[in-house]
Amino acid sequence: MIVKNKFLFNFSASHIGGGYKRLFAYSKIFNSRGGAYFIIRPNCKKIALLFNKNKYFYVEKSNIKRLLNDSYYLKAILDSIGCLNLYYAYGIPIYSKIAKVNWFHVSNVLPLSPHGIPISLFHYVKMQVLGFRIRHNLINADVISAESLFSLGFFGSQYKNNLFLSVNGSDNEIFLFKKKNLQKKDNIAVVVGTYDYKAISESFYVFKMLKKSYSPELKLVIIGDSKKIPKIVISDKDVIIKGILSHESTINYLNKAKYYISTTYIENSYNAASEGVFLSNESYISDIAPHREFLLNIPFRKIYIKNISRSILHIRNRDISNLNMKLWENVVNEMLGRVKKNLISLEKLKT
């Protein structure tokens, strides 16, 4: 197989959520441009079947294997590819110079700031180790990107020339937002994600407030790993657990929802919130920096809800007149513009 673009994208650290969404978009776009190289998990194999101009390498990574050696597979892959113009690591530390341009993308801001966030001890230790590895190896990254200005703020001034804002594309949301009046809403509130820092118990309090104040027949739909949901929530007769769903199915629930709820303590991006805000009738989201970035020029009100010590931002879909979103094509073109700039700088250094 002849691959046109000498780019290697390493998405082996993530196969769900924002990671899968970016992987799918990059695969689709580079496939249309002659192909690129991708490192992915075996359970993302259907992407390879869809986009056959790309070359895919499969890596199985357990949490323990990632903790002990999260790049054991790279040498063999690099030997088979040869010289690269770009190595793009999604959430994986770059331990040495691999390509002409080495790009580290922040997939999760928790490794950079795990303190004060409600997570398990194991998760905290894991984030501490990963955070140390990321910071210790930033010297190898020519570009450091993240999905919000908040996340980029965790890097010191010595990296200011390397920083690059790369938000998630929102093709589906833009399309569905333009058709929003055509979708009949169900009497449901939707929560997406069940990790500790998502604070499902607080989302449950928001749901109870909505049920009591506005809609007695309201049901709460939770999308995510059921093992991480508190017993008091999972045992409630008005709670519907859907487990881990595809992005397409998640979008479908959000598009049918009267309410979207997110009480997360920390996020790398506003991606999940933007989906909920633009697709549901009303949204109640935590007052954190990435959410504030997203809501620039969008009307909202700050409220307080019983049993929740933090403020919550309330947004009504009918008040939204503009889209703070980008198409994936634009996101990729911006990335390629930065890569080209770095490559030109390298050529000038040679002369």
Side-chain angles (χ1 to χ4, degrees), residues 121-224:
L121 178 60
F122 173 79
H123 200 188
Y124 178 82
V125 172
K126 179 183 171 184
M127 292 300 102
Q128 285 277 62
V129 171
L130 182 56
F132 171 80
R133 290 178 179 175
I134 289 171
R135 292 184 185 281
H136 187 69
N137 292 284
L138 285 176
I139 192 172
N140 297 313
D142 303 296
V143 183
I144 302 166
S145 65
E147 294 161 20
S148 67
L149 295 173
F150 166 74
S151 296
L152 290 177
F154 285 102
F155 299 97
S157 59
Q158 68 269 37
Y159 300 111
K160 65 180 181 180
N161 295 326
N162 303 70
L163 302 182
F164 188 84
L165 181 63
S166 181
V167 301
N168 278 314
S170 304
D171 298 34
N172 289 338
E173 296 90 302
I174 291 171
F175 172 75
L176 291 171
F177 180 74
K178 292 175 179 177
K179 296 175 59 179
K180 62 181 179 179
N181 293 328
L182 302 178
Q183 176 65 52
K184 182 180 180 296
K185 299 299 183 182
D186 294 341
N187 197 19
I188 58 173
V190 174
V191 171
V192 180
T194 58
Y195 289 110
D196 295 343
Y197 65 89
K198 297 285 188 180
I200 294 297
S201 295
E202 295 187 13
S203 295
F204 185 62
Y205 293 138
V206 177
F207 163 71
K208 285 295 189 183
M209 180 277 292
L210 292 171
K211 185 177 177 66
K212 181 179 180 180
S213 303
Y214 304 112
S215 184
E217 301 303 316
L218 188 68
K219 302 294 183 182
L220 178 63
V221 173
I222 300 178
I223 298 171

Side-chain angles (χ1 to χ4, degrees), residues 15 118 120 201 274 344-345:
H15 64 283
S120 68
S201 295
S274 67
I344 290 172
S345 296

Side-chain angles (χ1 to χ4, degrees), residues 3 13 22 50 95 103 107 112 203 252 262 266 282:
V3 175
R22 188 172 286 252
L50 289 173
Y95 296 102
W103 187 306
S107 63
L112 305 176
S203 295
N252 185 51
S262 172
I266 193 168
E282 297 183 45

Side-chain angles (χ1 to χ4, degrees), residues 50-323:
L50 289 173
F51 308 118
N52 57 15
K53 289 185 180 178
N54 299 319
K55 169 67 176 176
Y56 294 89
F57 300 92
Y58 302 104
V59 173
E60 188 66 74
K61 295 175 73 172
S62 65
N63 286 334
I64 296 299
K65 186 174 285 187
R66 188 179 180 195
L67 199 61
L68 296 176
N69 185 355
D70 54 1
S71 62
Y72 67 93
Y73 51 86
L74 260 181
K75 186 179 184 305
I77 292 173
L78 294 172
D79 287 345
S80 69
I81 294 176
C83 183
L84 289 166
N85 286 329
L86 171 68
Y87 173 64
Y88 181 103
Y90 184 85
I92 302 169
I94 301 177
Y95 296 102
S96 63
K97 294 285 188 180
I98 290 171
K100 293 178 181 178
V101 178
N102 299 277
W103 187 306
F104 172 74
H105 182 82
V106 177
S107 63
N108 184 350
V109 77
L110 266 176
L112 305 176
S113 181
H115 310 294
I117 307 298
I119 54 177
S120 68
L121 178 60
F122 173 79
H123 200 188
Y124 178 82
V125 172
K126 179 183 171 184
M127 292 300 102
Q128 285 277 62
V129 171
L130 182 56
F132 171 80
R133 290 178 179 175
I134 289 171
R135 292 184 185 281
H136 187 69
N137 292 284
L138 285 176
I139 192 172
N140 297 313
D142 303 296
V143 183
I144 302 166
S145 65
E147 294 161 20
S148 67
L149 295 173
F150 166 74
S151 296
L152 290 177
F154 285 102
F155 299 97
S157 59
Q158 68 269 37
Y159 300 111
K160 65 180 181 180
N161 295 326
N162 303 70
L163 302 182
F164 188 84
L165 181 63
S166 181
V167 301
N168 278 314
S170 304
D171 298 34
N172 289 338
E173 296 90 302
I174 291 171
F175 172 75
L176 291 171
F177 180 74
K178 292 175 179 177
K179 296 175 59 179
K180 62 181 179 179
N181 293 328
L182 302 178
Q183 176 65 52
K184 182 180 180 296
K185 299 299 183 182
D186 294 341
N187 197 19
I188 58 173
V190 174
V191 171
V192 180
T194 58
Y195 289 110
D196 295 343
Y197 65 89
K198 297 285 188 180
I200 294 297
S201 295
E202 295 187 13
S203 295
F204 185 62
Y205 293 138
V206 177
F207 163 71
K208 285 295 189 183
M209 180 277 292
L210 292 171
K211 185 177 177 66
K212 181 179 180 180
S213 303
Y214 304 112
S215 184
E217 301 303 316
L218 188 68
K219 302 294 183 182
L220 178 63
V221 173
I222 300 178
I223 298 171
D225 187 348
S226 61
K227 295 191 293 293
K228 300 182 183 297
I229 302 174
K231 288 182 180 179
I232 191 173
V233 176
I234 206 168
S235 62
D236 191 280
K237 62 181 178 60
D238 293 317
V239 173
I240 302 168
I241 310 298
K242 287 297 178 180
I244 299 172
L245 300 180
S246 67
H247 183 250
E248 183 181 359
S249 296
T250 300
I251 288 293
N252 185 51
Y253 272 105
L254 291 172
N255 202 30
K256 294 189 297 183
K258 280 188 177 180
Y259 304 102
Y260 167 70
I261 303 170
S262 172
T263 52
T264 181
Y265 272 79
I266 193 168
E267 292 291 338
N268 173 33
S269 75
Y270 51 70
N271 175 59
S274 67
E275 292 175 346
V277 168
F278 280 122
L279 299 180
S280 64
N281 277 353
E282 297 183 45
S283 298
Y284 292 81
I285 63 177
S286 51
D287 190 357
I288 59 174
H291 289 171
R292 287 275 184 162
E293 288 181 40
F294 164 62
L295 294 174
L296 185 67
N297 299 321
I298 294 177
F300 66 88
R301 66 188 181 102
K302 185 164 72 170
I303 64 173
Y304 289 89
I305 294 172
K306 185 179 179 181
N307 296 320
I308 301 178
S309 60
R310 303 174 293 145
S311 56
I312 300 293
L313 307 180
H314 173 222
I315 308 101
R316 296 184 302 183
N317 187 283
R318 67 174 180 265
D319 294 334
I320 301 171
S321 59
N322 67 312
L323 291 171

